[in-house]
Amino acid sequence: MSVLSTPAPAKPVPVAELKRIATQVRRDIVRQVHGVQSGHPGGSLGCADFLTALYFGVMQHHPLPWDMDGAGQDLFFLSNGHISPVFYSVLARSGYFPAKELATFRKLDSRLQGHPTTHEGLPGVRMASGSLGQGLSVGIGAALAKKMNGDDKLVYTLHGDGELQEGQIWEAALFAAAKKVDNLISTVDYNGRQIDGDVEDVLPLGDLKAKWTAFGWDVLETNGNDMDALLKTLAEAKSRTGKGRPVMILMHTEMGQGVDFMMNSHEWHGIAPNDEQLQKALAQLPETLGDY
Ligand SMILES: Cc1ncc(C[n+]2csc(CCOP(=O)(O)OP(=O)(O)O)c2C)c(N)n1
Ligand SMILES: [Mg+2]
């Protein structure tokens, strides 16, 4: 059965299938950005494995009928909203809206704006993001609401490493630990790159693991581009919820992962491939679910 027609992934998809889905997601990313000659392929490609693992293998969610509150479901909040191409692809491929709508990415009147918005009413989007630093606070609020409502499902958030330079992140980190928000699994796209260069050169983060630990979080590290490692770490993270501490996963990734000429620099943070570059990229990414 095609995962395209599977609205609710009730059972975990086999690892080999997750890897196949991730290559289609990467195709979707470069095709969306190429189609409108704008957008952010680098971070999107680096997070394709994680978001595929989360939406197809880990989260308990029901794409349709769409329910903004998500009571009784695991929730995900994308805080680094500029990587919308990967988010939209995974949402579409897991059944939130038709994959053909990916062709409207960043166009006028599209529900798929450059940065996700809620007023467009796109199923799967529960917060507007793009202004970095806000998603952890939103995730904490949703996690606390779940506790108040007696809802035992989890909340996941994703952040860029450059995003961690925002002060609001650390206020939220302090708050989550102090209030024992232990139904929250936050993750960082630890690619060492940001818009203008390497994080190390722009504003170094120091020992991130030690910092999150000092803030009272239970911290895991993994290779964010290795599906097997990701699944193992996500399962471990889940087993650590409900123990009084919020959980953090630092995911070591490569910006541009999967397209050789987009890797090893920050250059492809936010530029579009031309026609020739698109063909070069697609040649490295097998079509597995069918292009939109
Ligand atoms: C509050 C805020 N400041 C600045 C920006 C501009 N901006 C967009 S993406 C980005 C880089 C963020 O780096 P990172 O989170 O590491 O994302 P990556 O480049 O790895 O995708 C910046 C500074 C923004 N979107 N929001
Ligand atoms: Mg980064």
Side-chain angles (χ1 to χ4, degrees), residues 250-269:
L250 302 175
M251 305 186 298
H252 296 271
T253 60
E254 182 64 54
M255 185 180 273
Q257 177 71 31
V259 177
D260 57 7
F261 63 89
M262 291 188 179
M263 294 164 66
N264 303 312
S265 91
H266 69 282
E267 251 173 68
W268 289 89
H269 160 92

Side-chain angles (χ1 to χ4, degrees), residues 24 61 84 92 133 138 144 167 204 214 238 259 261 272 290:
Q24 184 69 51
H61 62 127
S84 56
V138 174
L144 285 172
K238 212 169 158 177
V259 177
F261 63 89

